[in-house]
């Protein structure tokens, strides 16, 4: 009787970094006994040894099933509720190929008992792989932070200029602050309130994970809080991050200390409290949550106040994420710079970007609409004459359409960059501006232009409207005369394939569209504006990479915002991420955004796609955003380091004037993409390529056709190289198997002639028993193996 073989496997790993007392080491893998990569089913290890420099964790797990198993180690904080395993994942191994375990079938058969339990061995690994070293495998070292598996992250942000001290003795003093979470349930049940508030100590809770980071021009400091917290100097931006599964039960105690450079000891001068933050219901418009709390001195008198910006990041629901590495996450070392088609074949709308002075005048005028003249863009009409924004001649193919993206792929581009936002019915659509300009039905010869936010129109409405660009108000009458819905000669009434003001379907386009109805509908679909993000995944070649810019309306420093009453950030990001994670497959995807809070959310909610922070820099003449993290490329890099983003997307003008910045980015292990009209200049692009940037976002793609028409898509060439290596490896395996089969057949021939079988000549796949059953098994296996070999050949 054949029974299931069970293996007793020891998993052992060295941790060569300092762990917190509440940290645990776990293992997860591809089989059922290792949790099938699910966070809730990881297997905890036990600490077996500990020194000042390292710790050893191990456990034994009984495994049955497949012969080869993949697995990874992770460091996490275990939080149990009703015996459920909840993890705050702090770090996990992210090798492209996970650790491999090969189980040897060394079993003994008998008539009355099951096969004996055997050990497992690791195939094709050097001896020093056991015990394993956390984060290192086969010469590669790769780890990453975890995502929000179910907990919420609360970020408390402190600006140095938001701290006001009223006491004249302390007003010009240097202060440090430390944030301590308070478990309200625990404090209510177990804490006795001491009458001496200055000596009050709050018991740390194992249900909370806390980190801090400081952004300053000299660099970023990200670590765990010290006993006295961090010094908050002029122009500093401090972020304290708290992760908890019970945000409604966690309050925050802030201690303030006087810094004396002559002594390491610091004097406690006061404290403040922040009540639990667990909902965005109080969030007005798309602005930030904030708290203004008093600072209480040791004599119970207020000595100042501090304003705290708050960001609440909730976990992504509806998608089950696992400890697996997507192709996007693995950016190959030595990869050539990728070429990215801006909005496909390039922008087709010439946009008016006001100067900073013009924007200030516009924002101060109550007569004009607050948002019409403020459009975030990757181009500018205020640049030098050599790089003035201009529409691209692409044979009536509008930007951000399926036809434009397909055209860029046919030219050999590796990525296309496009903008994604939500319609009113919360469907991710591809469109650049926050508003669209539409007209009512003509009355006589008059036409009036109305600007409507994209977020206020459903997908069917967006795809059925006659769309104009908001800057084309003076040309509406001409466009309306050229294409009238009531005109029987118009081939596409009420069609969504209208570009800014130039009709896409005129005499020249009719020659491109087939006379067959089905082909005509497909052509219209490819030329239509507002394609959904899902349609891009379904209709474009999977080798074409996506650089997805997540649009979000931001506030301006001089007042006003790009779009009022926008979506709540968590809900907005979740809708887009669900679509991306559902349809991504093996496509290489890079996310980017101008909004720092959206970047933080994209990083915390998933780990499948790299996140780039888009920054306007400080050399262009765009209106400056209110958020200090957007003011320069140096601050943007600090933000990337603090939030552990994958990299930065910076304007070409800033990089050309500060070439050393590229080295700073590389020294921090980050990716650098370049955008802007300057990047489309051949000489400038060669200069940027020499600097070894990771990607160039080109506009005016059609003008570069001659240069890139012979280029091959990077991911097609990489896939072919991998297949060649794999085929070579398989060929060697087949040759080895063929040689072994020939030897085995020769042995079988000798055995038949002598009617004797020598134990040393039997197949290693058989139990070591000398019997008639064994002889028949050898013959049967030889026939099967030979048949399989012929099939493979």
């Amino acid at each position: 009787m054949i029974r299931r073989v069970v293996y007793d496997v020891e998993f052992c790993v060295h941790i060569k970094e300092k762990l917190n007392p509440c940290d645990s080491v776990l293992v997860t893998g591809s089989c059922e006994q290792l949790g099938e990569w699910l966070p809730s089913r990881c297997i905890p290890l036990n600490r077996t040894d500990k020194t000042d420099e390292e710790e050893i964790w191990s456990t034994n797990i009984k495994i049955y099933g497949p012969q080869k198993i993949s697995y990874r180690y992770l460091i996490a904080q275990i939080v149990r509720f009703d015996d459920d395993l909840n993890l705050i994942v702090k770090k996990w191994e992210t090798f492209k190929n996970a650790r491999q375990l090969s189980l040897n079938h060394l079993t003994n058969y008998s008539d009355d008992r099951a096969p004996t339990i055997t050990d497992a061995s690791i195939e094709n690994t050097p001896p020093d792989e056991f015990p394993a070293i956390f984060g290192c495998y086969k010469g590669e070292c790769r780890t990453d932070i975890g995502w929000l598996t179910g907990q919420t992250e609360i970020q408390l942000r402190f600006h140095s200029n938001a701290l006001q001290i009223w006491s004249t003795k302390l007003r010009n003093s240097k202060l440090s602050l430390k944030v301590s979470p308070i478990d309200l349930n625990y404090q209510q049940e177990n804490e006795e309130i001491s009458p001496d508030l200055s000596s009050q100590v709050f018991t740390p809770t194992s249900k909370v994970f806390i980190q801090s980071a400081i952004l300053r021009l000299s660099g970023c400091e990200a670590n765990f809080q010290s006993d006295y917290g961090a010094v908050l100097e002029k122009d500093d931006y401090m972020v304290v991050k708290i992760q908890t599964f019970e945000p409604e039960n966690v309050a925050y105690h802030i201690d303030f200390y006087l810094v004396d450079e002559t002594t390491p000891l610091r004097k406690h001068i006061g404290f403040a409290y922040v009540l639990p933050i667990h909902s965005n219901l109080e969030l007005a418009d798309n602005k930030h949550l904030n708290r203004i709390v008093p600072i209480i001195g040791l004599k119970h008198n207020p000595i100042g106040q501090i304003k705290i910006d708050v960001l609440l990041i909730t976990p992504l629901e509806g998608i089950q994420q696992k400890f697996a590495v997507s192709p996007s996450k693995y950016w190959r070392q030595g990869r050539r710079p990728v070429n990215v088609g801006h909005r496909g074949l390039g922008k087709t709308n010439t946009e008016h970007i006001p100067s900073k002075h013009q924007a200030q005048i516009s924002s101060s005028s109550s007569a004009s609409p607050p948002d019409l003249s403020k459009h975030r863009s990757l181009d500018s009409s205020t640049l030098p004459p050599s790089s003035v924004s201009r529409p691209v001649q692409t044979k009536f193919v509008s930007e951000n359409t399926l036809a434009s993206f397909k055209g860029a792929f046919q030219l050999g581009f590796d990525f296309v960059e496009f903008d994604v936002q939500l319609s009113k019915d919360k469907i991710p659509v591809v469109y650049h501006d926050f508003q669209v300009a539409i007209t009512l039905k003509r009355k006589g010869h008059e036409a009036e232009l109305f600007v409507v936010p994209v977020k206020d129109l459903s997908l069917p409405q967006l795809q059925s409207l006659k769309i104009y660009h908001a800057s084309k108000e003076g040309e509406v009458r001409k466009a309306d005369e050229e294409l009238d819905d009531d005109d029987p000669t118009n081939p596409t009434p009420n069609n969504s394939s209208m570009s800014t003001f130039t009709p896409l379907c005129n005499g020249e386009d009719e020659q491109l569209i087939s006379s067959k109805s089905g082909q005509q509908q497909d052509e219209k679909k490819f030329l239509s504006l507002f394609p959904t993000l899902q349609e891009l995944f379904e209709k474009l070649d999977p080798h074409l990479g996506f650089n997805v810019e997540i649009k979000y309306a931001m506030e301006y420093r001089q007042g006003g915002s790009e779009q009022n009453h926008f979506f709540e950030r968590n809900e907005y990001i979740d809708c887009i991420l669900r679509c991306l994670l559902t349809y991504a497959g093996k496509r290489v995807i890079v996310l980017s955004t101008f909004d720092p809070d959206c970047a933080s959310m994209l990083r915390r909610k998933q780990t499948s796609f790299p996140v780039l922070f888009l920054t306007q820099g400080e050399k262009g003449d765009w209106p400056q955003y209110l958020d200090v993290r957007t003011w320069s490329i140096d601050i943007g890099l600090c933000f990337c380091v603090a939030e552990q983003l994958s990299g930065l997307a910076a304007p070409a003008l800033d990089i050309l004037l500060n070439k050393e910045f590229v080295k700073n980015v590389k020294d921090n292990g980050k990716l650098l993409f370049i955008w802007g009209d300057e990047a489309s200049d051949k000489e400038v692009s060669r200069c940027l390529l020499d600097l070894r940037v990771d990607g160039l976002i080109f506009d005016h793609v059609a003008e570069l056709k001659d240069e890139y028409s012979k280029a091959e898509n990077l991911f097609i060439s990489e896939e072919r190289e991998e297949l060649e290596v794999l085929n070579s490896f398989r060929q060697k395996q087949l040759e080895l198997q063929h040689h072994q089969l020939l030897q085995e057949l020769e042995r079988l021939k000798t055995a038949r002639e002598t009617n004797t079988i020598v134990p040393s000549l039997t197949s290693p796949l058989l139990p070591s028993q000398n019997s008639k059953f064994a002889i028949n098994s050898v013959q049967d296996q030889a026939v099967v193996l030979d048949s399989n070999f012929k099939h493979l050949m």
Side-chain angles (χ1 to χ4, degrees):
M1 178 179 181
I2 300 177
R3 299 184 182 180
R4 183 169 56 187
V5 182
V6 180
Y7 300 90
D8 189 11
V9 184
E10 180 183 7
F11 292 88
C12 185
V13 60
H14 278 227
I15 308 294
K16 295 190 174 182
E17 58 185 86
K18 187 176 181 180
L19 300 182
N20 284 342
C22 56
D23 287 346
S24 298
V25 180
L26 302 94
V27 64
T28 182
S30 57
C31 66
E32 182 181 356
Q33 296 77 38
L34 292 179
E36 297 177 320
W37 304 117
L38 295 173
S40 60
R41 295 177 54 192
C42 293
I43 308 299
L45 278 64
N46 303 311
R47 185 190 288 112
T48 58
D49 192 12
K50 180 180 180 181
T51 65
D52 294 336
E53 298 181 354
E54 66 177 15
E55 299 181 11
I56 299 178
W57 293 67
S58 67
T59 190
N60 282 60
I61 303 175
K62 297 186 184 303
I63 295 179
Y64 54 86
Q67 295 184 5
K68 288 189 177 181
I69 294 171
S70 301
Y71 66 101
R72 304 179 189 272
Y73 292 108
L74 61 137
I75 298 174
Q77 188 170 319
I78 299 177
V79 181
R80 293 190 179 274
F81 295 105
D82 300 327
D83 295 329
D84 292 333
L85 180 67
N86 299 281
L87 297 182
I88 299 178
V89 181
K90 299 183 179 181
K91 190 178 291 187
W92 62 291
E93 297 178 331
T94 55
F95 318 115
K96 184 178 181 181
N97 298 314
R99 299 179 185 272
Q100 299 294 317
L101 191 68
S102 179
L103 306 178
N104 293 330
H105 288 246
L106 303 177
T107 59
N108 294 323
Y109 289 83
S110 63
D111 295 334
D112 56 354
R113 62 188 181 89
T116 59
I117 298 176
T118 64
D119 295 329
S121 65
I122 301 178
E123 183 180 327
N124 297 327
T125 56
D128 60 353
E129 287 289 337
F130 186 86
I133 299 176
F134 179 77
C136 297
Y137 181 58
K138 292 185 176 180
E140 183 182 8
C141 296
R142 287 180 66 91
T143 59
D144 196 7
I145 61 172
W147 67 95
L148 298 178
T149 60
Q151 75 273 28
T152 296
E153 177 168 302
I154 300 98
Q155 292 190 2
L156 307 179
R157 286 88 66 92
F158 304 90
H159 303 258
S160 57
N161 55 3
L163 174 63
Q164 298 181 17
I165 300 297
W166 302 329
S167 171
T168 55
K169 295 181 180 180
L170 302 173
R171 185 169 299 168
N172 297 320
S173 300
K174 185 180 295 187
L175 301 178
S176 68
L177 62 88
K178 180 180 181 181
V179 178
S180 302
I182 308 171
D183 187 337
L184 297 182
N185 286 338
Y186 181 87
Q187 298 297 331
Q188 293 172 1
E189 297 173 2
N190 303 283
E191 189 90 5
E192 292 184 2
I193 303 300
S194 170
D196 184 8
L197 292 178
S198 63
S199 62
Q200 183 71 28
V201 177
F202 294 95
T203 304
T205 170
S206 61
K207 298 180 180 180
V208 174
F209 171 51
I210 185 167
Q211 279 183 309
S212 66
I214 300 178
L215 277 64
R216 52 172 62 108
L217 289 178
S218 59
C220 174
E221 301 175 7
N223 48 38
F224 299 103
Q225 292 189 110
S226 64
D227 293 338
Y228 296 108
V231 179
L232 195 61
E233 299 180 353
K234 183 181 179 181
D235 297 328
D236 277 354
Y237 186 94
M238 180 179 176
V239 183
V240 178
K241 308 169 189 176
I242 302 98
Q243 291 188 14
T244 175
F245 285 91
E246 299 178 307
E248 67 278 5
N249 292 328
V250 179
Y252 310 94
H253 175 86
I254 307 174
D255 286 303
F256 295 85
Y257 298 93
L258 183 63
V259 177
D260 186 353
E261 303 292 350
T262 61
T263 175
L265 299 178
R266 297 178 184 176
K267 181 181 178 182
H268 186 223
I269 62 169
F271 55 89
Y273 289 102
V274 180
L275 295 178
I277 302 164
H278 57 91
S279 173
N280 280 329
L281 294 178
E282 60 184 294
L283 185 63
D285 201 357
N286 54 307
K287 298 181 175 62
H288 299 87
L289 287 168
N290 62 72
R291 297 281 193 276
I292 299 178
V293 295
I295 302 173
I296 307 300
L298 303 184
K299 297 181 179 180
H300 307 284
N301 59 315
I303 61 173
Q305 70 177 29
I306 186 169
K307 180 181 178 181
I308 308 170
D309 289 339
V310 181
L311 177 65
L312 185 71
I313 307 178
T314 57
L316 175 64
E317 297 181 354
I319 296 290
Q320 190 176 64
Q321 300 186 68
K322 300 182 179 182
F323 289 99
V325 178
S326 71
S328 295
K329 200 64 180 178
Y330 186 84
W331 198 265
R332 180 181 294 183
Q333 293 293 330
R335 173 181 281 169
R336 69 162 173 80
V338 296
N339 47 65
V340 186
H342 180 213
R343 308 185 201 173
L345 287 172
K347 66 179 183 293
T348 53
N349 293 330
T350 306
E351 298 158 69
H352 172 64
I353 308 299
S355 66
K356 296 176 182 178
H357 178 69
Q358 291 172 325
Q360 291 173 357
I361 295 176
S362 176
S363 64
S364 61
S365 174
S366 58
S368 60
D371 300 323
L372 296 186
S373 62
K374 299 178 183 177
H375 298 281
R376 181 195 306 146
S377 173
L378 298 186
D379 37 74
S380 173
S381 59
T382 60
L383 293 174
S386 60
S387 60
V388 172
S389 176
R390 57 194 184 282
V392 180
Q393 303 302 318
T394 55
K395 295 295 182 182
F396 303 98
V397 177
S398 182
E399 65 181 39
N400 283 330
T401 59
L402 290 167
S404 185
F405 301 139
K406 183 178 179 180
F409 176 71
Q410 290 173 342
L411 288 179
F413 273 66
D414 309 314
F415 280 88
V416 287
E417 185 273 348
F418 54 85
D419 313 275
V420 173
Q421 54 186 305
L422 294 185
S423 61
K424 183 179 180 180
D425 42 0
K426 298 177 182 177
I427 297 176
V429 296
V430 179
Y431 195 71
H432 176 263
D433 297 327
F434 289 106
Q435 302 93 6
V436 295
I438 61 176
T439 59
L440 297 179
K441 187 175 181 180
R442 259 192 329 171
K443 296 181 179 179
H445 295 287
E446 296 181 359
E448 187 176 0
L449 186 68
F450 290 90
V451 176
V452 181
V454 172
K455 71 178 183 66
D456 292 340
L457 298 172
S458 66
L459 179 63
Q461 291 172 334
L462 289 171
Q463 293 184 336
S464 62
L465 289 174
K466 183 188 296 184
I467 302 299
Y468 301 92
H469 190 267
S471 63
K472 302 299 177 184
E473 191 168 356
E475 304 175 21
V476 173
R477 180 179 302 179
K478 179 180 178 181
D480 197 44
E481 290 174 355
E482 291 179 354
L483 186 61
D484 192 342
D485 292 341
D486 297 330
D487 188 354
T489 63
N490 177 18
T492 56
N494 295 320
N495 191 274
S496 64
S497 60
M498 304 300 302
S499 76
T500 54
F501 78 98
T502 304
L504 288 175
C505 295
N506 54 21
E508 293 185 25
D509 289 311
E510 290 180 5
Q511 298 176 4
L512 302 176
I513 300 176
S514 172
S515 59
K516 295 182 180 180
S517 175
Q519 293 178 346
Q520 186 179 25
Q521 292 299 322
D522 291 340
E523 186 72 17
K524 290 179 182 179
K525 194 69 175 176
F526 265 74
L527 292 172
S528 298
L529 297 177
F530 299 104
T532 65
L533 182 58
Q534 179 180 342
E535 286 176 337
L536 266 62
F537 283 107
E538 295 173 344
K539 297 184 180 298
L540 296 177
D541 192 287
H543 294 99
L544 178 62
F546 286 174
N547 180 2
V548 185
E549 181 190 337
I550 309 298
K551 301 282 288 186
Y552 196 84
M554 297 176 62
E555 299 175 76
Y556 287 107
R557 191 176 184 182
Q558 67 271 11
S561 63
E562 293 177 303
Q563 178 63 59
N564 293 323
H565 309 292
F566 211 61
F567 294 92
E568 192 273 322
R569 278 184 178 85
N570 281 285
E571 180 186 30
Y572 184 83
I573 295 297
D574 288 355
C575 290
I576 298 175
L577 282 180
R578 287 192 194 100
C579 182
L580 288 169
L581 291 169
T582 301
Y583 297 102
K586 294 184 178 181
R587 189 186 301 272
V588 179
I589 298 173
V590 175
L591 307 181
S592 61
T593 181
F594 277 98
D595 184 69
D597 289 344
C598 285
S600 298
M601 289 184 174
L602 291 168
R603 185 68 178 92
R604 292 296 182 271
K605 290 174 180 286
Q606 57 82 40
T607 61
S608 297
F609 313 123
V611 180
L612 303 181
F613 178 50
L614 271 163
T615 175
Q616 287 184 330
E618 51 189 339
K619 304 302 180 183
D621 200 23
W622 301 282
Q624 198 174 57
Y625 293 122
L626 177 63
D627 198 308
V628 65
R629 294 169 290 181
T630 66
W631 289 359
S632 72
I633 57 177
D634 293 309
I635 297 177
L637 178 58
C638 291
F639 173 67
C640 289
V641 174
E643 288 297 307
Q644 301 189 46
L645 304 181
S646 297
L648 195 71
L653 190 59
D654 288 67
I655 301 302
L656 292 174
L657 297 175
N658 183 11
K659 296 180 181 179
E660 288 296 321
F661 181 76
V662 179
K663 184 177 182 301
N664 296 337
V665 174
K666 296 303 176 182
D667 290 343
N668 284 281
K670 303 299 179 184
L671 300 175
L672 179 60
F673 278 48
I674 306 297
W675 60 266
D677 283 333
E678 295 83 5
S680 299
D681 183 86
K682 294 182 180 180
E683 293 184 3
V684 172
S685 64
R686 291 192 190 99
C687 177
L688 293 171
L689 291 174
D690 291 339
L691 293 174
R692 301 302 299 169
V693 300
D694 297 288
L696 289 177
I697 302 176
F698 290 99
D699 221 323
H700 319 302
V701 172
E703 299 174 12
L704 302 172
K705 181 177 180 181
D706 294 338
E707 186 170 348
Y708 287 94
S709 58
K710 298 180 181 179
E712 183 181 27
N713 177 279
L714 174 68
F715 306 114
I716 292 179
S717 62
E718 287 185 351
E719 184 180 84
R720 185 178 62 253
E721 292 173 3
E722 291 179 356
L723 286 175
E724 289 175 354
V725 173
L726 182 60
N727 289 335
S728 176
F729 176 74
R730 287 177 175 173
Q731 181 66 26
K732 291 180 180 179
Q733 281 189 322
L734 288 173
E735 291 175 357
L736 179 61
Q737 291 177 5
H738 185 218
H739 180 69
Q740 292 174 345
L741 285 170
L742 292 176
Q743 289 182 336
E744 187 65 27
L745 290 173
E746 187 65 29
R747 291 173 183 151
L748 289 172
K749 182 179 178 181
T750 304
R752 290 191 190 98
E753 292 175 353
T754 61
N755 287 329
T756 306
I757 187 164
V758 181
S760 62
L761 298 179
T762 58
S763 170
L765 300 177
L766 285 171
S768 57
Q769 298 179 4
N770 189 1
S771 64
K772 183 178 179 180
F773 172 76
I775 296 174
N776 293 334
S777 298
V778 171
Q779 296 172 347
D780 294 340
Q781 289 185 8
V783 173
V784 172
L785 289 173
D786 188 58
S787 174
N788 290 338
F789 176 75
K790 290 179 180 179
H791 172 70
L792 290 172
M793 292 298 290

